[in-house]
């Protein structure tokens, strides 16, 4: 294994979450009797540059199957986020009607729609055929492909260069970051900007968000190693913003050639020096804190079950699967998992084989406790399911400390 940012090959182990199946590998009833593939899930840190990455890469064909069940347009919080992002980029970089915006891993096209509504030309690129179909039906021109040199050549010949290329939660998913950035370089105009959004490694350690570790997330982004990484690609970081989405993310603006970084960049680099040092308390204590969380969550659920309570989980995001599988929570403890996405309902969770049902089941069945797997949308979900709470139901928020919300 080589460091994705600097190419070095010496790593320190941060945490070992055991062997788990692909987090988006929701199963049909027929698949329940077939052996399920599992893969090692270990987070490491590059000794040379401090980049955080998994040491085992699962083949993209396994992770991103044709029926990949993620749709980005589901939550209101997410919708507002993408609109705000488009607005900010358009205003800040003075984008106009002729400009092209390309989104890598564009999903159903929520971000591109926001650019399109502001008059820009748009092009999406996404590898999942069923998702691309939804995007195209919705009027967002989307190419079904993995983003790379070939896709870029096709875009260049049909639409020309892009003023903005966005990659939200893509930077963490790609195995060959060098090839990705070379392709972005070729696609961008000289005054173009590459905007990345990714969960921040500081948040992972600070708030114990170990459930955000799963096989699709190959890298855990911090700014420090990326400064040198982009310089090697003749690009530079212009600015960075810290966002509350997904518990705490970075939005990094990168331009071609040399740019003077903003004050935000210096502030964040200083924070990372304090928080992400290899021998710092936050990093060295992480594995122990993760294990303690598993023990207390498992104890809580088992005790409630022992008292005869009925337990379920609400929403089935990919990260919820890390939590459930690492903690050994399956249908032994949970009667079902509710989910809004029609692509997941009717299937079973990977590993634990818990039945996925529509949200309405929560009110019909009225279980005693509902484990909130999408804790980053906890407020919105609890508000939407207020009827359940008013009828006496209680929520369990698992992270950073398991707690009951009644
Ligand atoms: Zn490195």
């Amino acid at each position: 294994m080589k460091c994705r940012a600097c190419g070095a090959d010496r790593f320190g182990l941060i945490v070992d979450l055991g062997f788990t199946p692909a987090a988006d590998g929701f199963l049909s009833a027929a698949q329940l009797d077939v052996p399920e593939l599992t893969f090692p899930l270990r987070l490491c840190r590059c000794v040379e540059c401090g980049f955080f990455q998994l040491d085992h890469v699962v083949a993209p064909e396994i992770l991103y199957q044709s029926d990949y069940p993620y749709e980005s347009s589901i939550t209101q919080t997410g919708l507002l986020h993408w609109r705000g992002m488009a607005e900010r980029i358009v205003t800040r970089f003075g984008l106009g009607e002729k400009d092209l915006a390309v989104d890598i891993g564009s999903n159903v096209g929520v971000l591109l729609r926001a650019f399109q509504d502001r008059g820009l030309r748009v092009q999406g690129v996404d590898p999942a055929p069923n998702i691309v179909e939804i995007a195209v039906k919705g009027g967002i021109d989307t190419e079904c492909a993995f983003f790379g040199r070939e896709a870029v050549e096709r875009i260049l010949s049909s639409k020309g260069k892009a003023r903005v290329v966005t990659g939200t939660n893509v930077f963490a998913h790609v195995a060959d970051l060098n090839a990705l950035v070379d392709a972005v370089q070729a696609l961008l105009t000289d005054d173009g900007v590459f905007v990345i959004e990714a969960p921040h490694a500081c948040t992972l350690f600070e708030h114990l968000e170990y459930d955000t570790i799963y096989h699709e997330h190959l890298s855990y982004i911090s700014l420090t190693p990326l400064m040198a990484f982009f310089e090697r690609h003749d690009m530079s970081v212009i600015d960075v913003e810290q966002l509350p989405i997904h518990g705490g993310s970075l939005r990094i603006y990168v331009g071609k050639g040399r740019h003077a970084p903003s004050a935000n960049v210096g502030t964040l680099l200083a924070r990372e020096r304090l928080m992400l040092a290899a021998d710092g308390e936050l990093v060295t204590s992480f594995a122990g804190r993760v294990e303690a969380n598993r023990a207390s969550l498992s104890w809580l659920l088992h005790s409630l079950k022992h008292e005869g309570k009925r337990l379920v989980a609400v929403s089935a995001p990919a990260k919820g699967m890390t939590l459930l599988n690492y903690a050994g929570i399956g249908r032994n403890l949970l009667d079902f998992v509710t989910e809004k996405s029609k692509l997941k309902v009717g299937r079973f969770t990977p590993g634990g084989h818990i039945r996925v049902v529509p949200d309405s089941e929560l009110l019909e069945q009225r279980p005693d406790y509902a484990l909130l797997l999408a804790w980053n949308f906890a407020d919105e979900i609890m508000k939407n399911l207020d009827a359940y709470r008013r009828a006496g139901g209680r929520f369990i928020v698992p992270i950073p400390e398991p707690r009951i919300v009644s």
Side-chain angles (χ1 to χ4, degrees):
M1 174 184 58
K2 288 223 156 83
C3 171
R4 262 170 224 120
C6 79
D9 59 3
R10 291 197 305 135
F11 291 87
L13 176 67
I14 302 293
V15 71
D16 184 345
L17 298 173
F19 278 64
T20 63
D24 275 311
F26 284 77
L27 306 165
S28 64
Q31 286 172 310
L32 292 180
D33 295 328
V34 180
E36 204 174 353
L37 285 175
T38 62
F39 311 91
L41 187 56
R42 288 186 294 258
L43 180 67
C44 297
R45 183 183 190 279
C46 171
V47 170
E48 296 299 326
C49 77
F51 194 71
F52 294 100
Q53 66 181 54
L54 300 187
D55 68 350
H56 183 89
V57 178
V58 181
E61 301 81 60
I62 294 173
L63 289 182
Y64 304 99
Q65 330 144 14
S66 59
D67 50 356
Y68 183 64
Y70 182 70
E71 272 182 280
S72 71
S73 58
I74 293 168
T75 67
Q76 195 61 25
T77 314
L79 210 63
L80 289 174
H81 174 83
W82 306 129
R83 288 217 188 111
M85 177 178 181
E87 173 138 2
R88 186 152 174 83
I89 294 171
V90 166
T91 313
R92 171 156 188 182
F93 295 94
L95 303 186
E97 293 211 338
K98 286 191 181 129
D99 290 327
L100 174 66
V102 175
D103 190 24
I104 307 171
S106 49
N107 207 281
V108 293
V110 180
L111 176 60
L112 287 178
R113 185 180 312 284
F115 279 120
Q116 194 165 269
D117 288 347
R118 302 190 123 257
L120 274 78
R121 296 181 299 130
V122 300
Q123 176 67 53
V125 185
D126 199 285
N130 60 327
I131 294 288
V132 168
E133 206 185 307
I134 299 171
V136 172
K137 267 190 197 149
I140 302 298
D141 192 0
T142 305
E143 170 150 341
C144 187
F146 284 101
F147 181 84
R149 248 351 233 269
E150 284 175 24
V152 164
E153 292 303 330
R154 285 195 293 271
I155 296 170
L156 287 173
S157 61
S158 64
K159 293 191 174 163
K161 291 200 170 192
R163 268 297 295 285
V164 58
V165 177
T166 47
T168 55
N169 295 314
V170 158
F171 218 68
H173 288 75
V174 171
D176 190 344
L177 291 180
N178 291 309
L180 172 81
V181 170
D182 284 343
V184 169
Q185 263 269 18
L187 181 57
L188 274 181
T189 57
D190 285 343
D191 61 349
V193 62
F194 179 32
V195 187
I196 305 159
E197 262 188 32
H200 189 201
C202 272
T203 318
L204 164 69
F205 290 104
E206 208 175 5
H207 301 297
L208 203 67
E209 295 173 359
Y210 67 89
D211 60 340
T212 62
I213 302 172
Y214 49 87
H215 295 107
E216 282 95 333
H217 281 171
L218 296 167
S219 308
Y220 298 79
I221 302 304
S222 54
L223 188 61
T224 309
L226 292 185
M227 297 296 286
F229 169 77
F230 281 114
E231 264 174 45
R232 279 194 292 279
H233 288 273
D234 200 27
M235 297 180 87
S236 53
V237 175
I238 302 169
D239 195 11
V240 63
E241 292 165 2
Q242 297 187 56
L243 311 163
I245 196 162
H246 297 309
S249 293
L250 296 182
R251 180 182 294 158
I252 306 173
Y253 298 88
V254 185
K256 279 186 171 182
R258 295 278 167 271
H259 296 269
S262 70
N264 289 341
V265 172
T267 307
L268 185 63
L269 291 177
R271 181 166 170 239
E272 289 186 354
R273 266 196 300 279
L274 278 176
M275 295 186 64
L276 297 179
D279 56 356
E281 215 262 322
L282 203 57
V283 172
T284 55
S285 69
F286 187 65
R289 288 185 287 136
V290 168
E291 215 161 290
N293 178 275
R294 164 168 73 176
S296 54
L297 181 63
S298 175
W299 182 85
L300 174 64
L301 297 182
H302 277 281
S303 324
L304 292 172
K305 191 82 183 169
H306 192 69
E307 289 169 19
K309 305 293 187 200
R310 283 182 310 143
L311 316 177
V312 302
V314 170
S315 74
K319 64 176 170 185
M321 301 310 112
T322 290
L323 185 88
L324 295 179
N325 286 322
Y326 170 69
I329 301 166
R331 50 185 173 189
N332 55 329
L333 288 166
L334 303 180
D335 294 352
F336 56 80
V337 181
T338 70
E339 172 62 44
K340 269 201 174 68
S341 168
K342 288 190 192 77
L343 301 170
K344 288 179 183 172
V345 168
R347 296 188 176 222
F348 297 82
T349 62
H353 297 182
I354 307 162
R355 203 157 48 91
V356 183
V357 300
D359 274 350
S360 55
E361 289 284 305
L362 194 67
L363 281 169
E364 281 159 28
Q365 309 267 346
R366 300 222 189 137
D368 301 296
Y369 291 86
L371 179 64
L372 265 184
L373 296 176
W375 47 260
N376 50 326
F377 296 115
D379 291 343
E380 183 178 340
I381 292 171
M382 288 196 277
K383 211 172 102 195
N384 288 345
L385 301 174
D386 197 44
Y388 163 70
R389 203 153 42 147
R390 274 186 282 123
R394 292 170 169 210
F395 290 105
I396 298 171
V397 180
I399 281 175
E401 250 341 294
R403 65 189 169 93
I404 294 171
V405 184
S406 53

